[in-house]
Amino acid sequence: TERDTVVHAVQHLVFKNILFIFYVLNPETLSELMFWLGWLCGLSLLKGFCEFCNVRVAELSQASSLSTRSIRSLTLFITLTCVLNSLYFVLVIYSFSGRGLRPLLFILYEPLYMLMDLAQTTVKFILHLQWLRKASPIDEYCYFNDIVFDVAKLTATIGHFSHILMYFFSISIIDLLLFTYNCKILQQMQLKIEAAGNYIKATRAIHDQYPTATPEQVQKYG
């Protein structure tokens, strides 16, 4: 269900970042711990908003029609979520820019990932609005939209965990899990790129074998 999807996404983010707080940041005082837990609460709230947008746009992609009120409500919510995520991203840069590049890169991963995820959802929403208004084919555009943003998010994730392994490497279970997770993400990215290549080859073959009819042919045989 919609609720379960949002809750699962937030739970995954909380679990991942609790490990990040205690393994990478390692707060030494109670005030530091409370600060990072507050940071995690704000991050979780934004993640819930982003995931709600994802779920609603996925429902929109399966609908053949939608009321103007529903479109306006979803547009407003997506816009609000984009503004909040952008402000949070700028706030993180402003707050941590004075601490050096390495801490800033550690903290920027989650806001950057959510911005890319939200951008992917927004583009998909715009494409489906175009389809609802003009009934023009959008499957190919949606596919490449997903491929580009999925590969970008996987690349950011690989860079983030590689960064952690590079500066905090020690022989431990957590390092083994991070290394295994990175390998799994690399495999996912390779499969997505190969699938995109196969898709391009297949669509080109179809277009070559069955070219688009000219207006004269449509008028003559249509």
Side-chain angles (χ1 to χ4, degrees):
T1 62
E2 180 179 289
R3 179 179 176 274
D4 292 338
T5 303
V6 175
V7 169
H8 176 73
V10 173
Q11 285 176 343
H12 178 71
L13 179 135
V14 169
F15 175 74
K16 182 175 61 176
N17 281 280
I18 283 178
L19 292 178
F20 174 71
I21 289 172
F22 287 100
Y23 176 68
V24 176
L25 301 175
N26 193 20
E28 297 178 354
T29 64
L30 181 60
S31 60
E32 287 183 5
L33 177 61
M34 296 303 295
F35 172 81
W36 289 117
L37 289 179
W39 166 79
L40 180 56
C41 289
L43 203 62
S44 302
L45 181 63
L46 291 176
K47 181 64 176 179
F49 286 169
C50 291
E51 198 60 32
F52 180 78
C53 292
N54 289 339
V55 172
R56 283 303 172 91
V57 171
E59 292 176 356
L60 169 66
S61 65
Q62 299 174 358
S64 57
S65 62
L66 208 62
S67 65
T68 305
R69 182 179 178 183
S70 299
I71 293 176
R72 286 178 179 175
S73 299
L74 187 53
T75 302
L76 180 61
F77 193 83
I78 290 176
T79 304
L80 177 63
T81 307
C82 288
V83 171
L84 289 175
N85 275 271
S86 300
L87 289 175
Y88 182 77
F89 187 80
V90 173
L91 178 63
V92 168
I93 294 177
Y94 176 78
S95 302
F96 292 93
S97 58
R99 301 192 179 187
L101 182 61
R102 191 176 69 185
L104 181 63
L105 289 176
F106 283 139
I107 304 302
L108 272 183
Y109 164 70
E110 288 293 350
L112 178 62
Y113 187 95
M114 285 196 297
L115 274 178
M116 289 190 291
D117 194 32
L118 193 57
Q120 179 180 1
T121 303
T122 304
V123 172
K124 190 183 298 183
F125 176 62
I126 294 171
L127 288 173
H128 281 289
L129 283 182
Q130 185 76 6
W131 176 75
L132 288 174
R133 289 171 182 171
K134 297 184 179 180
S136 55
I138 60 168
D139 293 341
E140 190 169 336
Y141 299 108
C142 287
Y143 179 79
F144 284 111
N145 171 61
D146 289 338
I147 285 293
V148 169
F149 280 105
D150 284 347
V151 170
K153 289 187 291 185
L154 290 173
T155 302
T157 303
I158 292 170
H160 176 65
F161 287 112
S162 299
H163 190 200
I164 293 175
L165 285 171
M166 186 184 301
Y167 286 99
F168 298 94
F169 180 77
S170 61
I171 301 176
S172 65
I173 295 178
I174 294 180
D175 287 300
L176 180 61
L177 289 174
L178 288 177
F179 180 76
T180 305
Y181 188 61
N182 249 5
C183 292
K184 182 179 178 182
I185 294 174
L186 278 170
Q187 291 176 351
Q188 290 180 5
M189 188 162 65
Q190 180 183 357
L191 290 174
K192 283 185 177 293
I193 294 174
E194 289 177 355
N198 293 334
Y199 179 85
I200 292 172
K201 291 178 182 177
T203 51
R204 282 180 178 174
I206 291 173
H207 290 319
D208 290 341
Q209 188 171 359
Y210 305 101
T212 304
T214 62
E216 292 78 12
Q217 290 174 328
V218 172
Q219 186 175 6
K220 182 178 180 180
Y221 301 105

